[in-house]
Amino acid sequence: MKKILTILFIIIVLTACSSEENHYNYKFNGEGEYWRAKYSFSGIEKWGDKGGKITYSNENGEEFVLTYKGSFKEISSIKTLNYSYETSAGGGGSTREFDKPPTEVTFKSRGRSENGAKVNEDEVVQVNVKWDDFEESFELHKKSK
């Protein structure tokens, strides 16, 4: 009888401390006439049970990559670049001022968060790019596998 009670107690303790992890890695891409972009959102969700209460936490990472589609020579006279992206969980972006011609046609931004909002797998990401007197907007969609 003691063995049965011990096994039952161990099962109850293990069940009370159980947890589940969900990993996700979403990739979106799209382009306009002058620019193309890729957005990646990945992370882990942790669900658990602590003393009869459901617990939840998450850790997310994101990367946004913006690339000029034309030649390097075409972008060499740029003075200001401002880009932004918007998701249901928030957004990001950057403003760059160039005293000298840019040395690249690809611009990146990254971020990490804990217990923040999560981007949906089927979402549409809105991108806005302004460079000098020009402006372009386009959407990013989930990358097909």
Side-chain angles (χ1 to χ4, degrees):
M1 185 70 165
K2 270 186 169 180
K3 288 182 182 182
I4 293 174
L5 287 175
T6 303
I7 292 172
L8 185 59
F9 178 75
I10 290 172
I11 291 172
I12 291 171
V13 169
L14 290 175
T15 304
C17 299
S18 68
S19 64
E20 179 182 332
E21 291 185 357
N22 296 319
H23 297 262
Y24 47 89
N25 187 12
Y26 307 144
K27 297 186 183 301
F28 305 86
N29 59 21
E31 61 185 71
E33 185 177 348
Y34 299 97
W35 298 88
R36 80 173 53 93
K38 295 178 183 179
Y39 175 70
S40 301
F41 187 83
S42 60
I44 184 171
E45 290 178 303
K46 297 177 185 178
W47 295 87
D49 183 346
K50 189 171 184 179
K53 292 186 177 184
I54 295 175
T55 61
Y56 174 81
S57 65
N58 68 27
E59 296 175 16
N60 302 316
E62 65 179 359
E63 180 180 61
F64 181 80
V65 180
L66 180 69
T67 303
Y68 184 68
K69 293 169 56 176
S71 71
F72 183 75
K73 184 177 179 182
E74 292 173 356
I75 199 171
S76 65
S77 64
I78 191 172
K79 298 294 181 201
T80 303
L81 172 66
N82 179 297
Y83 64 86
S84 63
Y85 58 93
E86 192 68 34
T87 71
S88 64
S94 180
T95 298
R96 305 264 313 258
E97 301 283 338
F98 300 99
D99 296 333
K100 300 176 187 175
T103 58
E104 56 196 348
V105 295
T106 298
F107 306 91
K108 296 181 182 181
S109 31
R110 294 183 180 145
R112 298 201 59 76
S113 68
E114 290 186 25
N115 297 321
K118 182 181 161 204
V119 170
N120 297 314
E121 181 177 10
D122 60 348
E123 123 155 52
V124 175
V125 180
Q126 182 64 43
V127 176
N128 297 300
V129 185
K130 295 178 184 177
W131 66 109
D132 294 337
D133 296 329
F134 302 96
E135 186 173 351
E136 180 171 64
S137 296
F138 54 95
E139 296 177 341
L140 307 182
H141 298 272
K142 183 179 175 191
K143 185 175 182 177
S144 301
K145 291 185 177 181

